[in-house]
């Protein structure tokens, strides 16, 4: 990082803010405007050099900040950036400290000219923290967030935040933070330690008046890869982020995760844990939704497993996948602080040819709701190798109304229980299990007048299906289906089920894993 004096940086920032156009006073054209291709060139050059780890220590007392100490450091809203051109976006910066020890450089692009934002003490309110000595002007920041009048034309709401490694989160109207996205995931499933690529530098365009989008460029770095990213951010009811990336591997990467999503699932109706809590469900997301390249819609309820579990869904050019919060009923959460029923799902829509690979779902045991334990991403079949230049693009959407994702019926509830005979108290057989699925929506209400036309189509990859039934469910305006499965000890299976009428498929495909120890 180039070391500049505070005075030089402040003078540069002021000069850039006053610059009317990219031209010299004598009419000679000025420098070319900064573009995505410039970030690509930097990433290419960066990949040819050995990876340089960031400094391990921050200036004191930033190294010793606790969670509460760090939370007491707040950006002063009246110092927000990006407003001088009259655009609707404002930028606030995150201070370094606590878990966020990796400095990032944040630049503002005005008329295509990049100017780094210098650290200034006056940007922050430190609360009860005491910073006795001046901190260096090139300290950098932990990240930043953008505000926009998302819910009210007179109120600036946070719409997106980049903070920590390559993590970012964004919101649509009337949504609350939960799930996160990442730029890239490496070795999530492998036996070696997971690698966390990080955004080391950002360039944020100064929005014009009445701008309907914000644009952010980012430079990604890690021991295995360097990369260039562009984010077009469109705030709306379901905010959309268009992501373009170019990756340059430093070494072979057999386990790479594209468009990774990270969420939390502690417990829900399909996976109950005996916790002493008045809240019935605790999760940011409750299922993985996939639209395969062939057009099939697949719903996989999430779990909090006893051990790390990896589920793979092979595909060719997937049309979309995402971690969804399908249950939107407040009474199922009863949480007036976390607002789990208002947390968005993130839907990934690939742009262009992604080829053969698999959507992978990683579920990690968690003892409580404070840990992110769910990861989903696309893994290509072919590993990335040094010397390659990989270009990818996709859309991310913050989904609230999950009922509109596809026109078919949805699996809205999953339950499981021992298949006991009615009126008996005999001990349950641990190798025998009943799975109950509520399907609703689509054309299912049409068939309630003649439920005999609706058929359950179940399958299992192992074991035996011993019994099934399907009955109308007037409460959901759909159908309740049940599948009894028997496995041998040590076996595991993947169950699948959908509803049809004649040759017409009525619902998405529900799938769920089960094993007997």
């Amino acid at each position: 990082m180039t070391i500049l004096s505070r005075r030089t940086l402040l003078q540069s920032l002021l000069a850039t803010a006053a610059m009317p156009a990219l031209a010299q006073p004598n009419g000679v054209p000025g420098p070319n405007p900064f573009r995505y291709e410039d970030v690509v060139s930097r990433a290419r050059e960066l990949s040819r050099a050995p990876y340089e780890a960031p400094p391990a220590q921050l200036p004191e007392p930033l190294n010793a900040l606790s969670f509460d100490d760090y939370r007491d450091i707040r950006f002063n809203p009246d110092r927000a950036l990006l407003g001088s051109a009259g655009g609707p976006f404002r930028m606030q910066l995150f201070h370094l400290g606590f878990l966020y020890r990796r400095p990032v450089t944040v630049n503002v692009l005005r008329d295509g000219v990049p100017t780094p934002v210098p650290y200034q003490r006056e940007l922050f309110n430190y609360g009860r923290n005491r910073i006795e000595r001046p901190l260096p002007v090139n300290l950098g920041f932990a990240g930043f967030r953008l505000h926009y009048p998302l819910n009210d034309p007179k109120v600036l709401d946070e719409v997106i935040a980049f903070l920590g490694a390559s993590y970012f989160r964004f919101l649509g109207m009337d949504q609350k933070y939960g799930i996160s996205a990442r730029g890239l995931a490496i070795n999530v499933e492998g036996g070696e330690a997971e690698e966390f690529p990080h955004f080391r530098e950002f360039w944020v365009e100064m929005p014009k008046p009445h701008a309907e989008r914000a644009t952010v460029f980012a430079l990604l770095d890690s021991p295995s890869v360097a990369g260039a990213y562009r984010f077009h951010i469109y705030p709306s009811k379901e905010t959309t982020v268009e992501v373009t990336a170019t990756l340059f591997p430093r070494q072979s990467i057999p386990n790479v995760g594209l468009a990774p999503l990270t969420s939390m699932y502690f417990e829900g109706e399909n996976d109950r844990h005996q916790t002493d809590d008045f809240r019935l469900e605790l999760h940011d997301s409750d299922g993985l939704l996939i639209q395969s390249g062939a057009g099939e819609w697949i719903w996989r309820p999430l779990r909090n497993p006893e051990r790390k579990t990896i589920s793979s869904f092979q595909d060719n050019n997937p049309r979309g996948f995402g971690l969804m919060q399908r249950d939107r009923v407040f009474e199922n959460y009863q949480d007036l602080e976390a607002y789990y029923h208002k947390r968005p799902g993130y839907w990934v829509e690939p742009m262009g040819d992604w080829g053969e690979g698999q959507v992978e779902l990683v579920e990690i045991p968690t003892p409580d709701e404070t840990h992110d334990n769910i990861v989903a991403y696309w893994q290509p079949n072919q590993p990335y190798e040094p010397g390659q230049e990989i270009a990818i693009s996709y859309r991310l959407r913050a989904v609230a109304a999950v009922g509109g994702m596809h026109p078919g019926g949805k699996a809205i509830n999953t339950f499981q229980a021992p298949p006991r005979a009615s009126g008996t108290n005999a001990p349950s057989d641990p190798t025998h299990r009943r799975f109950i699925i509520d399907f609703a929506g689509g054309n299912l209400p049409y068939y309630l007048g003649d439920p005999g036309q609706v058929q359950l189509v179940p399958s299992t990859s192992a074991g035996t299906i011993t019994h099934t039934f399907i009955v109308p469910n007037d409460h959901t305006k759909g159908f309740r289906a049940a599948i009894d499965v028997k496995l041998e000890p040590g076996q595991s299976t993947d169950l699948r089920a959908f509803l049809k009428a004649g040759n017409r498929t009525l619902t998405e495909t529900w799938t769920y894993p089960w094993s007997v120890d």
Side-chain angles (χ1 to χ4, degrees), residues 36-37 39-48 184 219-228 245-251 253 384-391:
Y36 174 63
E37 288 73 18
V39 190
V40 173
S41 296
R42 294 191 184 203
R44 183 184 294 111
E45 293 302 317
L46 186 63
S47 71
R48 294 169 179 168
L184 197 67
L219 181 64
L220 180 126
D221 197 15
S222 83
S224 296
V225 66
T246 307
L247 304 175
F248 299 93
R250 282 190 172 95
Q251 58 191 38
I253 314 175
Y384 290 167
E385 301 292 348
Q388 287 184 302
E389 180 173 329
I390 301 105

Side-chain angles (χ1 to χ4, degrees), residues 80-373:
L81 291 80
L82 304 185
S84 61
F89 293 89
R90 298 292 183 272
M91 179 169 69
Q92 297 185 10
L93 299 151
F94 292 110
H95 205 286
L96 288 164
F98 185 51
L99 298 177
Y100 308 108
R101 299 171 177 268
R102 192 189 303 269
V104 301
T105 301
V106 180
N107 304 273
V108 173
L109 288 171
R110 185 181 177 95
D111 295 324
V113 177
T115 302
V117 180
Y119 167 81
Q120 300 176 69
R121 185 188 186 95
E122 295 76 19
L123 292 175
F124 298 93
N125 182 334
Y126 288 85
R128 65 177 177 272
N129 294 287
R130 294 291 175 263
I131 310 295
E132 303 296 341
R133 293 183 297 177
L135 296 171
V137 68
N138 65 335
L139 176 69
F141 303 95
F144 68 94
R145 57 186 178 179
L146 299 181
H147 290 76
Y148 179 87
L150 185 64
N151 298 290
D152 186 316
K154 297 181 179 179
V155 178
L156 290 172
D157 299 302
E158 185 172 330
V159 67
I160 191 168
F162 292 84
L163 179 64
S166 66
Y167 284 84
F168 61 98
R169 302 193 295 177
F170 59 100
L171 295 171
M173 291 179 63
D174 198 30
Q175 296 177 355
K176 303 295 183 182
Y177 274 140
I179 188 173
S180 298
R182 282 195 260 173
L184 197 67
I186 295 178
N187 203 37
V188 177
E189 66 164 44
E192 300 176 1
E194 182 177 354
E195 181 176 310
F196 290 91
H198 63 278
F199 291 132
R200 58 184 289 169
E201 189 165 4
F202 292 97
W203 295 262
V204 184
E205 283 191 351
M206 179 78 74
K208 303 295 185 183
H210 311 297
E212 296 183 351
R213 80 176 188 194
T215 298
V216 174
F217 304 103
L219 181 64
L220 180 126
D221 197 15
S222 83
S224 296
V225 66
Y229 281 73
R230 181 181 63 205
F231 303 90
H232 287 320
I233 303 142
Y234 298 87
S236 67
K237 184 176 181 180
E238 294 189 332
T239 293
T240 298
V241 180
E242 291 184 354
V243 183
T244 299
T246 307
L247 304 175
F248 299 93
R250 282 190 172 95
Q251 58 191 38
S252 179
I253 314 175
N255 294 317
V256 62
L258 303 181
L261 308 174
T262 302
S263 192
M264 182 276 294
Y265 183 93
F266 179 51
E267 65 178 341
E269 78 271 1
N270 63 291
D271 188 20
R272 297 190 184 279
H273 296 260
Q274 299 301 316
T275 57
D276 189 17
D277 199 309
F278 71 96
R279 299 168 298 171
L280 299 177
E281 300 191 36
L282 298 166
H283 49 74
D284 293 335
S285 308
D286 56 8
L288 170 69
L289 182 65
I290 300 171
Q291 186 184 19
S292 72
E296 181 185 19
W297 288 90
I298 301 168
W299 175 253
R300 162 63 153 79
L302 298 179
R303 307 171 305 151
N304 181 6
E306 294 183 358
R307 61 185 67 89
K308 182 178 179 179
T309 304
I310 300 170
S311 301
S312 297
F313 301 84
Q314 299 289 328
D315 204 359
N316 185 20
N317 288 323
R319 300 186 189 182
F321 68 92
L323 293 173
M324 300 288 113
Q325 184 75 315
R326 182 168 277 184
D327 190 339
R328 295 281 163 183
V329 180
F330 167 77
E331 286 75 14
N332 293 340
Y333 303 98
Q334 292 292 342
D335 198 314
L336 293 171
E337 183 178 357
Y339 284 95
Y340 286 116
H341 64 295
K342 290 191 173 185
R343 302 201 171 190
Y346 283 177
W347 178 250
V348 178
E349 182 184 354
M351 301 166 65
D353 187 348
W354 279 26
E356 296 184 349
Q358 52 271 334
V359 175
E360 289 208 333
L361 173 67
V362 181
E363 297 167 301
I364 303 169
T366 181
D368 54 48
E369 64 189 291
T370 64
H371 298 86
D372 284 343
N373 63 318

